[in-house]
Amino acid sequence: MTPSSPWHGRSLLLAGAIVLVALNLRPALSSVGPVLNEIMAGLDLSAAQASWLTTLPVLCLGLFGPLAPRLARIVGTDRLILAMLVVLAAAIALRGAHTPLALFIGTAVGGLAIGAVNVLLPGVLKRDYPGHAVAMTGVMTMAMCGGAAVAAGATVPLMNRLDGDWAAALAWWVVPALIAIVAWAPFALRGKRGGKAGGVLPVVGLWRDKVAWQVTLFMGMQSSLAYCVFGWLAPILRDRGISAVEAGLMVSVSVLCQLPTALVTPSLAGRARDQRLAVVLTQCGTAIGLMGCMLAPLSLIWGFAVILGLAQGASFATALSLIVLRSGDSHIAAHLSGMAQGVGYSVSAMGPLLVGLIHQQTGSWGPVAGLFLAIGASALIAGLGAGRRRTVGARVEGHASTA
C-alpha cells in the first residue's frame, strides 16, 4: 500500500494503529526508574544489580534488532510486529510475579520484543507513506515519547493505589499493549500485508558504509543518555531530596516535553539542507538539561527538566529521521534501522550499567555527570558525520541502484 496522503481512509486507520503500537515501545522501560528504590528494597538488590535491571532491556533491544529484518523476510513485517506485541504483553505481565527471576526475565524478553518493533517501524513508514515518511516519523516518535512520559509519571501513583505493590504497577502496563495488539491485528492478518510480500529484501554493502556507522553511533550515544534518564534520573533526584512522587512527575514532565519537538523536528530536519545544526542544538540542550538536573539548586530543576525533555525529544527524532533520510528505499531503511538500533542500543546499554557501577564505587553522582558529558560529546561527533546530506552506499541485493 502506497497512499498519496497519510490522512485519508485506510491510511488514517493505519496511522492510528502505528501510533498505538509506538505508544507501547517505552512504558516497559520508563516505568522502572520511578520505583527503582522500592524494587531494590523489596528484592534486596544492590546498586550494581539494579544497574543490570536498567541495562538489560536496552542490551536486548540491541541484540535482537539486527535479526528483525531477517525474520521479517520469512513471516512478513506486519505479522512479525504483531507477534512481538504479543511477546511484549506476556513479558510485561510476567513482571508482576514479585520475584527477581520473573522481573529480570520479563524485562529482558520485553526488550527483545521492543527491539524488533523499533527496527521494523521505520521501514513500514518508508513503505506505506513514501511521500510522507519523515512527517510520519515525527508522529511515531511523538507517540513513543508520550508512552514513556505517561509510564514515568503514572507508575508511582499506580503503586500507591495498589497498596505499595510495585510489581502490580509494572504489570499494569500490559493493558495498552493488549489494545495495540487489537488495533494492529487487522493490518497484520489481512491479505498480502501479512505475508512474505510484506517482507524485507536483502541488502549488501551496508555494514561497510561509513555513513551507516555514523548514523548507528549517533543513535547509540543519544539513546544511551535517554535510557540513563529513564533508569536513573528519578533515583538521582530522590537522592537530592525530592520525593518519589515528585521525582517521577519530574521525569514524566521532562519526557512529555519531548512530544512537541519529536513531532516537528523530522519535518524541519527533512527541509533543511542537512541535519548538522539539529545535531549540535540537540546535544548541547541535552547536556545543559542533564547538568542542571544533577547540579543546579532544587528550585531551578523543573526548568532544566523541561530543557532536557525538549532537547531529547528533538535528539531522538533526529536520529530516527537520519535513518529515513540516509536510506534509498524501504528495504535499506529497514536494514539501516536494524543496524543503527541493533548496534546502537547494544552500545547504549553500557550507559545505564556504568551509572550504577560508578555510583556504587564512588557513592556520589558527581562522576556520573562526567560520564554523561562524555557520552554527549561522542553523540555530537558521530552526529556531525551522520548529519551530512548523503545516502548510505548500500543496495538491495540483485538491484543495480537504490536511488
Side-chain angles (χ1 to χ4, degrees):
M1 182 175 71
T2 57
S4 59
S5 170
W7 312 124
H8 294 287
R10 185 175 173 82
S11 298
L12 184 59
L13 294 176
L14 176 61
I18 290 173
V19 166
L20 289 173
V21 171
L23 280 168
N24 284 275
L25 299 183
R26 291 299 178 268
L29 309 174
S30 64
S31 59
V32 173
V35 295
L36 189 58
N37 287 11
E38 286 74 17
I39 294 173
M40 293 171 66
L43 298 179
D44 195 24
L45 300 180
S46 67
Q49 290 170 321
S51 70
W52 277 108
L53 184 62
T54 60
T55 300
L56 192 58
V58 186
L59 183 61
C60 290
L61 259 68
L63 293 175
F64 195 63
L67 299 177
R70 298 180 184 180
L71 292 176
R73 291 204 299 269
I74 300 171
V75 302
T77 298
D78 305 306
R79 284 185 176 168
L80 183 56
I81 290 174
L82 179 62
M84 290 299 100
L85 288 173
V86 173
V87 172
L88 175 61
I92 292 172
L94 180 62
R95 299 200 301 183
H98 291 90
T99 67
L101 184 61
L103 179 61
F104 277 88
I105 291 177
T107 298
V109 174
L112 293 175
I114 293 170
V117 181
N118 271 343
V119 165
L120 296 173
L121 279 182
V124 170
L125 300 183
K126 191 84 171 180
R127 179 194 70 193
D128 288 341
Y129 299 93
H132 306 274
V134 173
M136 284 298 297
T137 298
V139 173
M140 180 188 73
T141 309
M142 184 181 69
M144 294 171 72
C145 295
V150 172
T155 301
V156 171
L158 272 173
M159 179 184 68
N160 292 338
R161 292 183 67 88
L162 295 168
D163 299 323
D165 190 339
W166 57 263
L170 292 180
W172 189 92
W173 297 105
V174 72
V175 175
L178 294 174
I179 295 172
I181 290 170
V182 173
W184 188 255
F187 298 98
L189 301 177
R190 184 174 179 177
K192 291 184 178 181
R193 288 183 55 83
K196 293 182 181 179
V200 179
L201 295 177
V203 164
V204 295
L206 185 66
W207 291 81
R208 299 188 300 271
D209 187 80
K210 181 179 179 180
V211 176
W213 278 105
Q214 290 168 336
V215 172
T216 296
L217 292 176
F218 178 69
M219 171 62 80
M221 293 299 100
Q222 68 84 32
S223 293
S224 185
L225 291 177
Y227 290 113
C228 288
V229 168
F230 286 158
W232 288 104
L233 183 57
I236 289 171
L237 295 174
R238 291 176 68 172
D239 278 1
R240 297 201 64 193
I242 296 174
S243 69
V245 172
E246 187 178 2
L249 182 61
M250 196 172 291
V251 175
S252 178
V253 168
S254 181
V255 180
L256 276 174
C257 289
Q258 295 182 17
L259 269 66
T261 51
L263 180 62
V264 304
T265 296
S267 294
L268 295 176
R271 294 192 187 105
R273 182 179 181 274
D274 61 39
Q275 291 73 48
R276 285 177 289 184
L277 178 60
V279 168
V280 172
L281 293 176
T282 58
Q283 300 318 301
C284 289
T286 298
I288 291 170
L290 274 172
M291 294 304 101
C293 287
M294 297 187 70
L295 304 173
L298 296 183
S299 60
L300 301 178
I301 289 182
W302 276 104
F304 284 106
V306 169
I307 293 172
L308 176 62
L310 293 172
Q312 287 200 305
S315 180
F316 184 46
T318 299
L320 289 178
S321 298
L322 288 174
I323 293 174
V324 174
L325 293 169
R326 301 289 91 90
S327 302
D329 61 24
S330 64
H331 303 285
I332 293 177
H335 283 275
L336 180 57
S337 180
M339 177 181 176
Q341 298 191 60
V343 177
Y345 284 140
S346 296
V347 173
S348 72
M350 296 302 101
L353 177 63
L354 288 173
V355 171
L357 295 177
I358 290 172
H359 180 60
Q360 178 165 290
Q361 290 296 318
T362 64
S364 169
W365 294 112
V368 172
L371 172 66
F372 289 160
L373 290 176
I375 295 173
S378 299
L380 178 62
I381 293 170
L384 288 174
R388 293 173 297 171
R389 188 175 182 177
R390 58 187 65 190
T391 56
V392 298
R395 61 182 178 83
V396 179
E397 196 169 54
H399 291 203
S401 174
T402 60

